[in-house]
Amino acid sequence: MRRIKPGLRASEFAAYATQPAKMLHLLARAPVLLALVAATLASASASPSKIKERTVYPRGGTSSSRAPADHAVTLRIALPQPSFDVLEQHLYEVSDPAHARYGAHLSLEEVEALSKPHTESVQAVDAWLASHGVPESACIRSSSNDWVRINVTVAKAEEMLDAKYYIWKHTTDGDTLVRTLSYSLPEDLHAHIDFIQPTTMFARFKGHRTTFRWHGVQESASALAPSNGTILADAASGIRVDASCNTTVTVDCLKQLYNAVGYKSSATNGNAIGITGYLEQNANIADLQQFYKDQVPAAINSSFKVVLLNGGENNQSLAAAGAEANLDTQFAYGLTFPTPGTFWSTGGSPPFKADPITTTNTNEPYADWLDFILNQEKIPQTISTSYGDDEQTVPESYAKHVCANFAKLGARGVTLTFSSGDNGVGDGNPNPKSQTCFTNDGRNTTAFIPLFPASCPYVTAVGGTIHVPEVAVFFSGGGFSNYFLRPIYQELAVQRYLDTLPKGTYKGLFNPNGRAIPDVAAQGDNFRIFVGGRAGLIGGTSASSPAFAAIVSLLNDARASRHLPSLGFLNPLLYTVGLAGLKDITVGNNPGCGTPGFNATKGWDPVTGLGTPNFGKLKEIVL
């Protein structure tokens, strides 16, 4: 049995961190001279304005008119985090099973110390805001001061940013956004601000609306009956799965398929699992009880904690039940019962208010969730999110800042799983005559479209499979980031895959040096859930992410019962010793952008990653 031992205690962090000269310099900077601060403040407000960010007219959207001057906007100002490279080093060390510090996760205070911007940046931004009549009392700051939020009107935002805001309407679903194509700042302020949003970001950060594929309502309990006792057996692993799982996926199916039958988790050892939910996605308790009666009788009358953030709702009427929220909570909590569960319902940031012009939130609710969770002393060890958007609709500066915040959670011992997407390599369309995969940079060239946040290298991206034996499901999102370089933990596995591609395959359609997606996979179709009091089948990588997260949570439960730290950022383990606990998927592909997409093959591939989990084997590896 392979034993992975925890390394240094978190209390030893200070002694460790201050030994290298680099860390000492970054964490204990000398006070900034008052004269330098004064010069910086003066130049920030007096220097000529220069464009900070610019984008192009987005495909799939039309501008109808200028935004009303009195429309409310919450501007989020991001300040640079000069010590992030130190935090990243800690992240990799505490996440590497071969390192002496493995499992020595950082505390809230330690992460905040590594997140603070330079004092001169804070002062420069404050002076700029004051010059526009925004007092300190009107600023809402993150605990480490790397974010500042202010509530202003469109007129004030246009004055501050030398910008013009328009109302943009997406032709596909009618959603509207108030955005500008460019904004400017005093030139000397550029070094003190990473970005300001919402300005040039056209991502909507919602759940995968195309994730859900209802195959028809199943009201009869007989839908769960075994297929005449037929059992499907995997010759290589010896795993036995009821044949009914080929058409209807249940909690029992996943436990059988992923070798977790018989494992009993604890309700009291400190392990927990969390699910994020966003606009209008309510997890219904009555539906959960029906699901438990249907599949997890022992869990009947149990529930989960709901945390409401920034106007989030917990509407328990059956008519308000959200398919995505129910899918995530029913399977995540059903697989891990009695592990405590949390569901965060995040609404729009104040002062957002639906009106005839802007009927949906124009702010970034995911950043609001990050603000909250990063400030919590106690966080569930495993968190699943089933949302994303085309990477190219997210400004690179924003994506990298948010991704850095995911790294902070990983450094604190939290595993983050994200759905890899439901459109294959782009639009899910193999027909070259009707594909819609074009760059959003004004050139409109054909290219594969990766998703964010799945493209962030500090999260675990989960693709999809189907059937028993498992093959890749056709809609499994996969590919290569255009923003993030391939991380070191992926280098060998991904390069092997690229070396097997025939020369010239999809040349110019993807970035061969980018962070590769997904990392792993799990079943992603035909999940039996309850929504609005009715049973049905549903699919998408929105099912795969909570399913894989649940297996990780069971592993964390096993470690907690042995008084071992949580697994935290999972990828360095998955691509090394964890490989022995994953089943390689070698059949299937993910068409899109007028192509057949990539093929699942031996080893890592951009359809199912490294494969699907074997809980029993993984448990032996991590204990």
Side-chain angles (χ1 to χ4, degrees), residues 312-620:
E313 298 179 353
N314 187 24
N315 187 338
Q316 287 298 308
S317 72
L318 288 177
E324 180 174 330
N326 276 10
L327 165 64
D328 291 355
T329 53
Q330 287 171 19
F331 270 87
Y333 304 149
L335 281 163
T336 60
F337 175 79
T339 297
T342 298
F343 179 76
W344 296 280
S345 176
T346 305
S349 302
F352 170 73
K353 183 177 180 182
D355 58 35
I357 296 168
T358 311
T359 57
T360 56
N361 182 26
T362 63
N363 301 302
E364 292 77 52
Y366 200 74
D368 294 333
W369 177 81
L370 274 171
D371 284 349
F372 171 81
I373 203 69
L374 284 169
N375 199 37
Q376 303 303 301
E377 285 282 356
K378 192 173 182 180
I379 306 174
Q381 294 88 339
T382 313
I383 300 174
S384 174
T385 300
S386 297
Y387 99 102
D389 211 334
D390 295 349
E391 185 183 66
Q392 66 177 0
T393 66
V394 185
E396 186 171 351
S397 59
Y398 185 95
K400 290 186 173 179
H401 200 98
V402 169
C403 187
N405 281 343
F406 294 146
K408 297 176 189 178
L409 288 171
R412 292 183 59 189
V414 179
T415 299
L416 299 172
T417 67
F418 280 82
S419 308
S420 70
D422 298 331
N423 289 305
V425 293
D427 61 1
N429 189 347
N431 186 346
K433 294 183 179 180
S434 58
Q435 63 91 8
T436 57
C437 300
F438 301 101
T439 58
N440 198 32
D441 56 5
R443 297 179 300 155
N444 290 330
T445 57
T446 301
F448 292 163
I449 309 296
L451 288 192
F452 179 81
S455 63
C456 172
Y458 310 123
V459 307
T460 300
V462 186
T465 61
I466 193 171
H467 300 319
V468 183
E470 289 183 278
V471 298
V473 68
F474 70 93
F475 54 74
S476 183
F480 299 82
S481 173
N482 292 310
Y483 288 172
F484 301 98
L485 292 176
R486 184 155 58 251
I488 188 64
Y489 62 76
Q490 280 194 320
E491 187 59 41
L492 289 177
V494 175
Q495 192 58 53
R496 285 195 196 103
Y497 174 82
L498 293 174
D499 289 344
T500 66
L501 281 180
K503 189 175 182 180
T505 301
Y506 301 146
K507 184 177 181 180
L509 295 182
F510 71 95
N511 172 22
N513 299 312
R515 185 275 203 263
I517 311 162
D519 299 298
V520 290
Q523 286 278 312
D525 211 356
N526 301 324
F527 278 50
R528 177 175 164 88
I529 68 168
F530 284 78
V531 180
R534 305 175 68 199
L537 301 184
I538 198 168
T541 55
S542 281
S544 308
S545 182
F548 192 91
I551 297 299
V552 176
S553 183
L554 293 180
L555 294 171
N556 276 328
D557 176 84
R559 286 179 63 85
S561 294
R562 296 280 189 92
H563 306 290
L564 295 171
S566 60
L567 293 170
F569 176 42
L570 204 60
N571 295 2
L573 179 141
L574 293 174
Y575 283 85
T576 54
V577 295
L579 276 172
L582 299 171
K583 180 183 177 181
D584 195 9
I585 307 301
T586 60
V587 177
N589 62 299
N590 55 353
C593 305
T595 75
F598 295 108
N599 290 325
T601 188
K602 184 177 180 180
W604 181 91
D605 58 70
V607 191
T608 59
L610 299 169
T612 57
N614 182 317
F615 170 74
K617 289 184 178 180
L618 287 169
K619 183 162 70 74
E620 290 181 0

Side-chain angles (χ1 to χ4, degrees), residues 187-309:
E187 188 170 359
D188 289 345
L189 197 61
H190 281 220
H192 301 294
I193 292 178
D194 276 348
F195 62 82
I196 298 178
Q197 294 293 348
T199 49
T200 58
M201 184 166 73
F202 287 86
R204 289 164 289 168
F205 282 153
K206 295 183 177 180
H208 295 298
R209 288 187 173 181
T210 58
T211 291
F212 306 109
R213 294 169 169 83
W214 287 91
H215 298 288
V217 173
Q218 299 180 353
E219 302 290 358
S220 172
S222 64
L224 293 181
S227 303
N228 299 319
T230 304
I231 299 296
L232 303 174
D234 186 301
S237 65
I239 289 176
R240 296 164 59 83
V241 182
D242 192 281
S244 64
C245 299
N246 250 323
T247 55
T248 303
V249 175
T250 65
V251 167
D252 281 347
C253 289
L254 294 178
K255 286 185 174 181
Q256 292 170 23
L257 187 60
Y258 298 140
N259 195 20
V261 174
Y263 181 80
K264 303 295 183 183
S265 58
S266 170
T268 59
N269 64 5
N271 185 49
I273 185 170
I275 298 293
T276 62
Y278 297 96
L279 305 171
E280 301 177 358
Q281 277 293 319
N282 297 293
N284 189 271
I285 304 299
D287 282 337
L288 178 71
Q289 295 307 314
Q290 281 195 273
F291 177 82
Y292 282 162
K293 182 179 179 181
D294 190 61
Q295 299 184 35
V296 195
I300 292 174
N301 296 325
S302 69
S303 189
F304 53 88
K305 180 171 70 173
V306 177
V307 178
L308 304 181
L309 305 176

